[in-house]
Amino acid sequence: MKPEDTAVVVVEPAPVPVVRQHNAITQARYDYTACQLDIFFYLLSRLRRDDTADQEYTIYVKDVEALTGRQWNYQQLREATADMGSRMFEVENERTYQQLWMFQRVEYIKGKGCLQIQLAAPIRPFLFNLKENFTSYQLHSALKLSSKYAKRIYQLVSQWKDKTSTRTYPLDEFKQMLHLKDPKGKEPELFQNISQLKARVLDIAVRQVSEHTDLKIDYELVKKGRAYDAVRFTIARQQPQQLPIPFEQPSEDARANAARQSLETLGITQPQLVATILGDPKHLDQLFKFTYQLKTDKVKATKNPGGLFLKICGLR
């Protein structure tokens, strides 16, 4: 593991409200992919305070696909968990310095479409503290975000959801948390130009978080002299657009409910058509792929997306 892949997180000794706790996983510098963040947020949703230290968490791939509308194959997942497990988080205060890893063990069950994860014991308290920043709906919302930067920024602003804004983050600190800048200068900085940072990170995150979650956010860039020096996010609560799929639902029910919601959004409500699509695994896979491509503008269908989907499936 390269030293530059680690992040130093200072945990303030003074007590702070839980919602703004400087959790190591939120403040750390790391570059999780969208696939890794899907695994991470789904795993958070399964944590329970009464879990045993050696608790195993089973994640069904089709559950994650049903919730996110994105498809991940086994090879992508294996690479994702291997990289997540190898990353070290550094946590330091006035008394101690800790090196933490995420997983004790990850096992893929062949032919079952699932993986079992056992967390490393020392990191569990940090994950439980982080989960307290989120409701079930918010974790569901985080899975719906397609941009990895939107996911990270939603994670960040959720610490301040009882206020109207976050604290002001120096741009260097903010970029380091999102793995856009190496504090040791050994890697090239991404999006050095402020217009690139706005277009590729901030604007996308604001749009996705505001459209798909319970928070409506915006950002303010702060100048020092003539140059931008810091960023802070404004926060407003908004009514959730839809009820979340309960994470405790059986896998098949979760997938079917997600499919029904997607079909309703597309305007496909004819009972016979709905039954045909729900009863065919190939149609379901195509539905989740189509809705994801629609949300990410990979498919253009502003007038009649439902009709286009039916045509793709050979149902029209």
Side-chain angles (χ1 to χ4, degrees), residues 17 27 34 47 58 71 80 103 122 143 178 180 184 188 202 213 218 220 223-225 230 245 255 267 279 281 300:
Q27 302 295 116
L47 298 181
T58 301
Q71 294 181 316
F103 302 137
L143 285 164
L178 269 63
L180 300 175
K184 298 181 180 179
L202 296 171
T213 79
D218 205 343
E220 300 173 357
K223 279 188 174 182
K224 184 176 182 180
I245 299 171
R255 185 172 171 84
K300 302 292 185 182

Side-chain angles (χ1 to χ4, degrees), residues 42 58 60-61 74 113 142 159 164 187 259 284 300-301:
Y42 191 87
T58 301
Y60 286 90
V61 177
Y74 251 26
Q159 292 184 303
T164 57
E187 299 174 4
L284 284 178
K300 302 292 185 182

Side-chain angles (χ1 to χ4, degrees), residues 82-109:
D83 185 60
M84 292 171 72
S86 68
R87 290 186 183 274
M88 181 180 71
F89 296 95
E90 293 182 297
V91 182
E92 185 174 3
N93 58 30
E94 293 179 347
R95 300 181 303 279
T96 64
Y97 164 79
Q98 297 183 67
Q99 295 178 336
L100 304 173
W101 286 265
M102 184 72 72
F103 302 137
Q104 176 70 27
R105 182 179 64 87
V106 179
E107 182 176 355
Y108 286 80
I109 312 301

